[in-house]
Amino acid sequence: MPKYHDELDAVLRALADPTRRAVVERLAQSPAVVSELAAPFSMALPSLMQHLRVLEDAGLITSEKHGRVRTVSLRPGALGVLHLWLDEQRTPAERQADRLGIHLTRTNPKET
């Protein structure tokens, strides 16, 4: 089991919900205020805040409050643990094929 399994578990749990995935997809474009994030969902604001808390606890987002406005951002590198785990799951055959592709690209440059 990798050393980062607790962090990975939290990220996977957070992303298991379609509402939270939609929020992450939206925040990948740019930061947003909570009311903007809530607009596409038919749920009460406290319910969305619970989703945001799960994402924040998993380390996927950060938020800042300025006056009465809370701005939410996707944390840079937040999905890195997921990418690392997925890369470790690749089969040796996939890795070998990748190395072969790199080798062929280097030894046979495209003809112009």
Side-chain angles (χ1 to χ4, degrees):
M1 176 96 29
K3 294 178 183 176
Y4 52 83
H5 68 277
D6 291 338
E7 183 181 356
L8 176 64
D9 289 347
V11 168
L12 290 173
R13 272 192 302 274
L15 295 176
D17 183 87
T19 299
R20 293 192 289 265
R21 286 194 307 272
V23 168
V24 169
E25 288 172 7
R26 167 56 189 85
L27 292 175
Q29 298 170 15
S30 66
V33 296
V34 171
S35 59
E36 186 181 327
L37 290 173
F41 305 107
S42 58
M43 68 176 65
L45 192 56
S47 297
L48 180 69
M49 293 302 293
Q50 287 179 336
H51 285 292
L52 294 178
R53 175 61 56 202
V54 171
L55 291 169
E56 195 163 14
D57 289 347
L60 294 171
I61 64 169
T62 60
S63 66
E64 294 180 5
K65 190 170 184 178
H66 298 284
R68 297 179 71 170
V69 177
R70 182 169 295 279
T71 303
V72 182
S73 303
L74 188 62
R75 191 174 62 78
L79 299 174
V81 67
L82 186 56
H83 289 286
L84 179 62
W85 182 80
L86 288 171
D87 190 51
E88 288 175 355
Q89 305 317 306
R90 295 178 65 207
T91 65
E94 287 176 306
R95 291 185 188 113
Q96 188 173 5
D98 287 348
R99 286 192 301 271
L100 176 61
I102 291 168
H103 173 73
L104 292 175
T105 301
R106 288 179 181 163
T107 57
N108 296 323
K110 291 182 180 178
E111 295 180 21
T112 56

